[in-house]
Amino acid sequence: FAARNASSLLRTAVKPIATPSPAPLRNFSSSRTNMGKILAVLYDGGKAASEEPRLLGTTENVLGLRDWAKENGHELIVTSDKEGEGSEFQKHVKDAEVLITTPFHPGYATKKILDSAKNLKLAVTAGVGSDHIDLNAANEHKITVAEVSGSNVVSVAEHVMMTILILVRNYNVGHEQAVGGKWQVSDIARDAYDLEGKVVGTIGAGRIGYRVLERMVAFNPKELLYYDYTALPDEAAKKVGARRVEDLNDFLGQCDVVTVNCPLHEGTRDLINKDNVGKMKKNSWLVNTARGAICNSEAVAEAVNSGHILGYGGDVWEVQPSPASHPWRKMLGPHGRGNAMVPHYSGTTLDAQKRYADGTIEIIKNYYAGKPQNPANLIVENGEYATKAYGQRKKGVAS
Ligand code: NAD
């Protein structure tokens, strides 16, 4: 109950993050048509999607958009084919008016691709996190980028809690024994700890990071810390008892558990790298469900393999789908511990899919009706960043 109150507090008190005064969506009256070409790049659902219609984020079920698009005379192109010049994505983006992409199977909208997209007015991220779109290029072309803010933040916060527990309690080693017909308790317990009494810190204390802090309170940690250039309002910080640490190395040196919950932008790429991963406490844990490229792949794998940190886990990878050779697939600490990686799915639970599918449709309907968008969903608009979450921008440089 208290946690719910704190969430509402954060929504009302902290989240002017993305709230410039409600301005109408770009006036496209000269260029927006009532019927247009919508291109959706989503992941294939295969057999699962035919059996489970709630898999809305798939090419098969296309966010529940198909009937609406047809009834309103829009041309809807749906594909998962996204890599290379001959891909359906690169072919159709050239004359699409609206582009839908998803972080789970990202259509990487590079500057070159956006330069080629002569009719593109609106890029909607079905989910949260628009780093797969070159936001500076979107600004240059005055393409509006919107995401369904908040749609899967609980889904991710729960996944963070799960991953932390899997690592801290050395679950994987125990599970492998259980299904492999083995029983050697000491081999599990030698790397298993309680979460209670640990120092837990989040990089980024926005919607997800704050929800992790809220959930963490129940585990009775020694202390909760956060590292974010935006301070939590005093009351929100007090509610969860979180202390802000302004220097990253200082923060890393104090945490037993670090959870990464900030967007990927120029200022957070490689934020955890070979120079500072050694500043993490020996025998600590690192969890990243934000974006793979925030943590340097080689540096993290080395820290796990060498045993400096007890484990790394998350669901996000620098390039998705991730190649079979990625070091995070095989990394393993001493005694087989410390790998809690999964494919990118934390924010695409069936509950989350319903929310981001509905949100995507609403954004597109607003666009075609010429209605203003919910300011919280806007990432870039009218050639400018509409949110403060994608970097503190001084003279165009993010930090
Ligand atoms: P949010 O905008 O509510 O919060 C982001 C916070 O990060 C903000 O408080 C911002 O100030 C902070 N931040 C930005 N740059 C920073 C920096 N350099 N150092 C420290 N803090 C910084 O966003 P959110 O809804 O909490 O989502 C955060 C990110 O999580 C998304 O951008 C996305 O990349 C990721 N995400 C992943 C999944 C998934 O399925 N794994 C789903 C949703 C979101």
Side-chain angles (χ1 to χ4, degrees), residues 37-346:
K37 176 165 173 173
I38 302 173
L39 169 62
V41 183
L42 299 168
Y43 61 84
D44 290 328
K47 185 167 177 276
S50 61
E51 290 171 0
E52 177 50 82
R54 290 175 298 172
L55 279 166
L56 287 166
T58 56
T59 50
E60 290 83 352
N61 298 325
V62 61
L63 303 158
L65 196 63
R66 210 183 296 276
D67 288 347
W68 175 83
K70 198 172 166 194
E71 280 158 21
N72 288 277
H74 300 295
E75 182 188 359
L76 177 63
I77 307 286
V78 187
T79 184
S80 63
D81 178 27
K82 67 187 182 77
E83 301 300 337
E85 285 189 13
S87 65
E88 292 295 294
F89 169 38
Q90 293 206 23
K91 199 166 79 190
H92 286 287
V93 78
K94 290 192 169 73
D95 62 348
E97 184 175 350
V98 173
L99 170 67
I100 302 170
T101 53
T102 181
F104 308 104
H105 182 75
Y108 294 102
T110 59
K111 172 164 167 50
K112 191 174 167 206
I113 290 173
L114 292 182
D115 287 349
S116 78
K118 300 294 180 207
N119 289 344
L120 193 62
K121 305 292 186 305
L122 174 67
V124 189
T125 299
V128 172
S130 299
D131 51 278
H132 57 285
I133 295 169
D134 186 321
L135 298 174
N136 293 331
N139 274 329
E140 191 184 313
H141 293 292
K142 294 210 162 61
I143 297 164
T144 296
V145 178
E147 55 188 48
V148 192
S149 296
S151 57
N152 52 16
V153 295
V154 165
S155 323
V156 179
E158 289 186 1
H159 195 97
V160 172
M161 299 305 297
M162 175 187 79
T163 307
I164 290 174
L165 286 167
I166 281 174
L167 288 174
V168 170
R169 306 205 56 92
N170 203 22
Y171 170 86
N172 285 353
V173 172
H175 181 67
E176 275 162 27
Q177 284 193 19
V179 297
K182 294 187 187 148
W183 191 283
Q184 187 59 50
V185 173
S186 56
D187 284 350
I188 315 165
R190 70 183 301 167
D191 293 309
Y193 295 81
D194 295 342
L195 182 52
E196 179 166 289
K198 303 294 183 289
V199 178
V200 182
T202 175
I203 297 179
R207 296 175 181 88
I208 297 172
Y210 191 76
R211 281 166 176 76
V212 172
L213 294 174
E214 285 182 324
R215 283 154 179 76
M216 203 48 82
V217 170
F219 286 86
N220 202 17
K222 182 173 179 193
E223 200 175 11
L224 292 177
L225 306 180
Y226 75 100
Y227 170 79
D228 194 318
Y229 53 67
T230 307
L232 286 167
D234 288 346
E235 215 182 321
K238 213 167 127 198
K239 267 236 142 78
V240 294
R243 176 168 66 84
R244 185 179 179 203
V245 180
E246 293 193 41
D247 177 79
L248 182 58
N249 287 343
D250 186 14
F251 171 87
L252 294 175
Q254 294 185 54
C255 292
D256 296 302
V257 179
V258 173
T259 154
V260 183
N261 298 295
C262 60
L264 173 63
H265 53 76
E266 304 96 304
T268 58
R269 186 173 292 277
D270 255 1
L271 191 67
I272 304 297
N273 54 52
K274 70 175 173 28
D275 297 327
N276 65 15
V277 76
K279 308 273 188 216
M280 289 185 67
K281 273 168 93 166
K282 171 101 180 120
N283 293 341
S284 57
W285 297 270
L286 178 59
V287 169
N288 175 15
T289 52
R291 284 296 177 261
I294 297 171
C295 297
N296 180 278
S297 305
E298 300 294 341
V300 163
E302 171 56 24
V304 171
N305 292 334
S306 70
H308 178 70
I309 62 173
L310 283 173
Y312 177 89
D315 66 329
V316 284
W317 307 70
E318 187 171 2
V319 175
Q320 296 184 172
S322 178
S325 59
H326 194 285
W328 291 352
R329 291 186 186 263
K330 297 263 161 58
M331 72 184 167
L332 215 51
H335 327 131
R337 71 181 181 218
N339 185 329
M341 287 306 298
V342 291
H344 190 173
Y345 83 98
S346 71

